[in-house]
Amino acid sequence: MEDANLNETISEHAEAQDVHLDRTRWWFASAAFPMIAGTLGPVASAFSICALVKPWRQNIPPGSDITTAVYIDDPSWLIAINAAQLVIAVIGNLFLLLNMTKRVRFSVAQPITIVGWYISSFLLTALCATASGPLLPPYKVDELVWSQAFYYGIFAAVLYFIVASLMVITVWGAKAGHYPSHFELTMSQRTLMLQTILFLTYLLVGALIFSHVEGWIYLDAVYWADVTLFTVGLGDITLNTKLGRGLMIPYALIGITTLGLVIGSIRSLMLDRGKKRLDARMLEKRRRRFVKRLMRSDQGEVLEPIEEEDADYYPELKPHDTLRTPPKQELQRRHKEFHLMRKIQDQTSSRRRWMAMGISTGSWAVLWLVGAKIFQECEAPFQNWSYFDGVYFSFQAMSTIGYGDRTPKSNSGKAFFVFWSLLALPTLTILISNAGDTIVKGIRDATVLLGNITILPGERGYKMDIKHFLSRLSFGALFTENTIRELPPGFIGAALGHSDEDEDGNEEDDESSSASSTSASRGTEERGARAEAKSSRKSRPGEPSDASTRKIRLPKRKGTGDKSKQSKKEDTEPFDGQGIPEQLPKTRAEYRLLLIDEIRRVSQHLQQSPPWKYTYQEWAWYLRLIGEDESDVSTHRKPLKKPKAGIHGDGDSGAAPVTDPTPNPDQSEKPKWSWVGHRSPLMDTRDEAEWILDKLSVKLRQELQAAVEASEGEDGVRDTEKLEDRRRDSRSGGRKQVWLGNAVTETV
């Protein structure tokens, strides 16, 4: 049992995470569109309520202003149609929520929701057209204005049409077979919808209470409640009664908290969950372009697995050495391939962050500047606003400064402010979050880097920080990633990790030990003993204790010369596989203990923020633990420019289809993969620590399951032998003691 029988491959340990192969537009259609519809649908219903509670027209008496305008009663048929569309829209909202909670089937709920919203939109559009055209009262045109309820009806009609159209796209995608005919919404997505309904209900009910307490018009109370809960505080409508002022305190506290939950849920969905899928898709697109461009260049051979006869791919290595050590050549190639994938990841991540920053900045700018123009048009007839006044008001309202020197007084301005604020403030929150991932992150990283190379050295040590700084400053010209030495993975890195002070402090010990040693192996053992003594205080987070480290023998490392020369040699020579263990534990028991130690270590990495990223040596070590040997050319292949449809692996050679991720035990050829292929572990949507922990846990379970089955098999053989002995004794008529478990019985 030289390698604990670890001869399996990556494809045999878990289902593939092929999210990056799914088209982003179908994710929007299957998840994002229903979430948007479920959030904006209640908003449209709230506006429908506001459109129903008051007449749609007002008369301004001669010599007065809009604040003293008198309502003109609507005809009964307009009120009846308005109420009917509200009932239909609420039923559509109800069936959508029941479908999302899996209370009603998709095929039943979606037609009702879509048809109901379209009917409400068309009815409101017809009513608005009628009220603004044929329905003219016997008043002069300059004395007639449309009330806030009229404008709320327009906003509701627009929102109903948008959300109904989004759901049509969702249903069409499901019928076309692009995704299942049911919603795969998470609990947080459903929570966002419920929080939105709760907030709108709270705002409308609170406005009703304060309108009675203060004697306000209900729609003015809705405007006041919106200004209050969004913490703008314009001051154009104020509380005058003690009861109202007393009720405002708990009302504002609860409302602002609820609004914070809604905005937090929006941010979480847009930035935390949505970005993972977008990241995966952008990474796949960039990987394909990179592979295609690399294959067309003269550097495409780095993607070709190196067989023994292909050693001339690396002319810097001596021919007589390369022919004798093909595994190390393949390790070098895989190491370069790994860093190519890291480069693709970094470029994609940077592009995604700045693209998100650009989109959020553009959305914020559109809401700001377009909103300013609309406010100017609304207030120009009554306050003679210029466009600059609109820009000034929009900015102070969006940033919740709220000086109060510019406030909307027109019906259209107040209604539009309620609609606009529901979009503007969440957009500003997302913009601030994206700025934290780009601009603020750059300033923070520059500050940390400056501290690392001056007075506050980091965990890697002063010299390593200087090398990384110079490498980034020179774009890899001074120190490439391959020449910056990495610590070995796992318990080896725990035993050999040291800082710059340790190098200086142990220089004399190294000289004395090398002078007294008589062979290379003795020098290696002495260094291993000293490193083992330091492992508990110089290890990475979550390293095992000294006792657990000593239980497993450390493999000997090549090179036993002077330590300073050895360090310089490792810093300048390309990666040659040193640091990766030559072999795994000899016995199953040691191997299971090692798996437990590594699982405990990786579980600590799950708590790191930002997510923990492993070096190539660490990846090679963990892949070795789950049965994948980085030096084994038989499991490597050149990546495809574009994955074939219906193929689960990197190619058609030994790959299983997507619908059946379990490998066929009759397959004679192992599935092959590449670090820059779409089956690379770095392409998975999970964090690296989560991926490794899952594979190690699966492997440990397989080992324990095999041990249990072996134990049951031995017990069965033992029981069969006992029964045979009993039968022989019964035939001979003798008397013999037979062991059954822990009991001893006499048999005849």
Side-chain angles (χ1 to χ4, degrees):
M1 196 184 299
E2 291 299 322
D3 61 348
N5 198 26
L6 305 177
N7 54 0
E8 301 175 2
T9 57
I10 281 182
S11 301
E12 297 172 290
H13 288 280
E15 299 182 0
Q17 301 293 322
D18 289 332
V19 174
H20 52 277
L21 299 180
D22 299 335
R23 295 188 180 273
T24 307
R25 57 177 173 266
W26 298 128
W27 174 81
F28 276 107
S30 63
F33 286 176
M35 182 188 66
I36 294 173
T39 304
L40 294 183
V43 175
S45 297
F47 288 163
S48 293
I49 294 174
C50 293
L52 180 64
V53 295
K54 287 294 181 181
W56 283 17
R57 300 161 298 163
Q58 285 182 290
N59 177 44
I60 303 177
S64 60
D65 57 13
I66 193 173
T67 58
T68 59
V70 180
Y71 282 102
I72 302 173
D73 293 336
D74 292 329
S76 57
W77 59 266
L78 189 148
I79 298 176
I81 295 176
N82 200 355
Q85 66 83 20
L86 176 60
V87 173
I88 293 173
V90 170
I91 293 175
N93 274 312
L94 180 62
F95 271 87
L96 177 63
L97 293 177
L98 291 176
N99 181 215
M100 289 180 175
T101 56
K102 300 182 179 180
R103 306 293 184 186
V104 180
R105 293 196 309 272
F106 184 90
S107 59
V108 175
Q110 291 312 306
I112 296 176
T113 299
I114 294 172
V115 173
W117 281 346
Y118 272 131
I119 291 176
S120 297
S121 177
F122 295 150
L123 289 178
L124 283 172
T125 302
L127 290 178
C128 291
T130 303
S132 61
L135 191 63
L136 294 177
Y139 296 100
K140 295 181 179 180
V141 177
D142 56 350
E143 297 178 358
L144 181 68
V145 294
W146 310 118
S147 69
Q148 296 182 50
F150 173 80
Y151 294 103
Y152 279 121
I154 295 177
F155 299 149
V158 172
L159 289 178
Y160 281 138
F161 185 82
I162 291 175
V163 295
S165 301
L166 292 179
M167 293 310 301
V168 167
I169 297 175
T170 299
V171 172
W172 174 79
K175 295 298 182 181
H178 296 293
Y179 42 82
S181 298
H182 57 82
F183 294 118
E184 296 293 344
L185 300 182
T186 62
M187 182 58 66
S188 59
Q189 291 171 332
R190 297 189 181 97
T191 301
L192 173 61
M193 302 174 193
L194 296 178
Q195 288 174 346
T196 303
I197 296 174
L198 177 62
F199 173 75
L200 293 172
T201 303
Y202 186 80
L203 186 148
L204 296 179
V205 173
L208 179 63
I209 295 174
F210 280 96
S211 65
H212 285 83
V213 172
E214 296 293 331
W216 295 335
I217 298 174
Y218 177 71
L219 296 182
D220 286 340
V222 171
Y223 165 76
W224 171 87
D226 181 83
V227 170
T228 301
L229 298 184
F230 280 92
T231 67
V232 180
L234 295 175
D236 51 342
I237 299 179
T238 58
L239 299 168
N240 297 318
T241 64
K242 292 183 178 179
L243 178 60
R245 292 171 180 172
L247 291 176
M248 185 275 298
I249 297 175
Y251 178 74
L253 286 175
I254 299 174
I256 292 172
T257 303
T258 306
L259 178 62
L261 293 175
V262 174
I263 295 178
S265 298
I266 294 174
R267 179 193 176 279
S268 176
L269 291 172
M270 295 295 293
L271 300 180
D272 297 338
R273 291 173 176 82
K275 78 174 184 180
K276 283 191 175 182
R277 187 172 290 268
L278 294 178
D279 273 350
R281 187 58 185 168
M282 290 178 63
L283 181 61
E284 171 63 15
K285 289 183 177 180
R286 193 169 190 87
R287 182 197 68 82
R288 292 181 185 180
R289 289 195 297 266
F290 184 86
V291 171
K292 186 182 299 184
R293 185 170 60 251
L294 191 63
M295 287 182 177
R296 291 175 179 175
S297 67
D298 55 355
Q299 299 178 355
E301 64 269 8
V302 74
L303 302 179
E304 293 280 0
I306 302 177
E307 304 291 346
E308 185 171 350
E309 63 273 11
D310 299 328
D312 56 348
Y313 278 174
Y314 289 88
E316 68 271 12
L317 298 177
K318 297 180 180 180
H320 62 275
D321 291 335
T322 56
L323 292 175
R324 276 185 275 176
T325 57
K328 287 189 177 180
Q329 294 177 48
E330 180 63 10
L331 281 176
Q332 290 179 9
R333 188 197 67 82
R334 294 283 284 187
H335 190 224
K336 292 184 178 181
E337 197 178 62
F338 175 85
H339 282 288
L340 287 178
M341 191 63 201
R342 280 287 191 226
K343 182 179 179 181
I344 297 173
Q345 282 184 313
D346 294 339
Q347 293 175 351
T348 303
S349 178
S350 178
R351 178 186 172 132
R352 195 272 312 161
R353 290 197 303 268
W354 285 102
M355 187 176 70
M357 181 67 184
I359 293 175
S360 57
T361 302
S363 302
W364 174 79
V366 168
L367 287 172
W368 176 29
L369 300 178
V370 175
K373 182 60 178 178
I374 296 176
F375 280 120
Q376 182 223 345
E377 295 294 332
C378 293
E379 299 301 321
F382 304 98
Q383 301 188 73
N384 197 26
W385 274 17
S386 65
Y387 181 66
F388 178 78
D389 291 328
V391 171
Y392 171 72
F393 168 75
S394 297
F395 182 81
Q396 63 161 316
M398 183 180 288
S399 58
T400 68
I401 296 175
Y403 290 123
D405 53 342
R406 291 288 186 273
T407 58
K409 292 184 179 180
S410 64
N411 292 330
S412 57
K414 291 180 180 178
F416 178 72
F417 180 85
V418 175
F419 172 75
W420 176 79
S421 62
L422 292 174
L423 301 176
L425 267 69
T427 302
L428 179 62
T429 303
I430 295 175
L431 172 62
I432 295 173
S433 299
N434 287 328
D437 292 338
T438 53
I439 301 174
V440 178
K441 181 179 181 297
I443 297 175
R444 183 178 63 249
D445 292 346
T447 304
V448 173
L449 180 60
L450 181 62
N452 288 342
I453 63 177
T454 54
I455 59 175
L456 297 173
E459 295 180 356
R460 294 180 299 192
Y462 179 77
K463 294 181 180 179
M464 292 292 292
D465 287 328
I466 289 290
K467 289 181 180 180
H468 278 274
F469 171 71
L470 294 177
S471 176
R472 296 179 61 181
L473 189 65
S474 62
F475 298 99
L478 294 180
F479 294 97
T480 62
E481 299 223 4
N482 294 345
T483 60
I484 299 177
R485 186 169 60 90
E486 300 171 338
L487 285 177
F491 62 85
I492 301 178
L496 298 178
H498 58 276
S499 62
D500 298 328
E501 291 80 0
D502 294 330
E503 290 181 0
D504 298 335
N506 293 329
E507 195 174 52
E508 297 179 359
D509 295 338
D510 294 335
E511 293 177 357
S512 61
S513 63
S514 61
S516 59
S517 61
T518 58
S519 65
S521 60
R522 181 177 175 184
T524 304
E525 293 174 359
E526 290 175 355
R527 284 195 301 275
R530 288 196 305 274
E532 185 178 352
K534 298 185 296 180
S535 61
S536 61
R537 56 188 175 88
K538 296 298 179 183
S539 60
R540 299 173 75 173
E543 302 292 352
S545 61
D546 293 342
S548 62
T549 303
R550 285 194 298 268
K551 289 179 181 178
I552 303 175
R553 297 187 298 273
L554 296 178
K556 298 180 180 180
R557 300 187 63 188
K558 298 181 181 180
T560 56
D562 180 68
K563 187 174 183 180
S564 60
K565 296 181 180 179
Q566 181 77 11
S567 177
K568 293 179 180 179
K569 184 177 180 180
E570 290 174 350
D571 290 343
T572 56
E573 287 187 352
F575 175 79
D576 60 355
Q578 289 190 2
I580 300 179
E582 296 289 340
Q583 58 185 0
L584 290 171
K586 302 294 185 181
T587 64
R588 289 282 184 178
E590 288 183 329
Y591 173 63
R592 291 162 190 158
L593 289 175
L594 180 58
L595 283 176
I596 294 173
D597 282 340
E598 296 297 343
I599 288 174
R600 186 166 63 88
R601 180 181 298 107
V602 175
S603 64
Q604 296 292 328
H605 298 165
L606 292 174
Q607 306 173 7
Q608 300 294 325
S609 181
W612 192 279
K613 287 190 175 182
Y614 295 92
T615 64
Y616 175 72
Q617 289 180 327
E618 290 173 320
W619 267 108
W621 167 245
Y622 289 122
L623 291 176
R624 190 78 170 273
L625 286 179
I626 65 174
E628 184 75 26
D629 191 353
E630 277 292 275
S631 62
D632 185 5
V633 185
S634 63
T635 60
H636 306 160
R637 67 157 296 144
K638 184 177 180 179
L640 297 177
K641 298 178 182 179
K642 184 177 181 180
K644 298 180 181 179
I647 295 298
H648 191 58
D650 261 335
D652 53 355
S653 177
V658 176
T659 56
D660 185 16
T662 306
N664 187 352
D666 297 333
Q667 291 176 345
S668 58
E669 187 176 357
K670 298 178 181 178
K672 300 179 179 181
W673 63 282
S674 168
W675 279 111
V676 293
H678 79 278
R679 285 298 314 280
S680 169
L682 299 181
M683 291 293 297
D684 199 279
T685 55
R686 294 170 292 180
D687 294 338
E688 295 180 17
E690 186 179 355
W691 191 95
I692 293 174
L693 182 62
D694 177 62
K695 301 301 179 290
L696 292 177
S697 301
V698 170
K699 190 62 182 177
L700 179 60
R701 190 187 187 284
Q702 292 176 352
E703 288 295 312
L704 297 178
Q705 181 68 26
V708 171
E709 293 175 356
S711 177
E712 292 177 351
E714 293 175 358
D715 291 341
V717 172
R718 191 182 304 115
D719 292 340
T720 302
E721 292 176 351
K722 294 172 185 176
L723 290 176
E724 290 293 335
D725 292 341
R726 292 180 61 181
R727 279 195 289 268
R728 284 196 299 269
D729 293 339
S730 62
R731 293 193 194 99
S732 60
R735 185 178 296 270
K736 183 179 180 181
Q737 286 185 338
V738 178
W739 290 83
L740 292 177
N742 294 326
V744 180
T745 59
E746 293 272 340
T747 61
V748 179

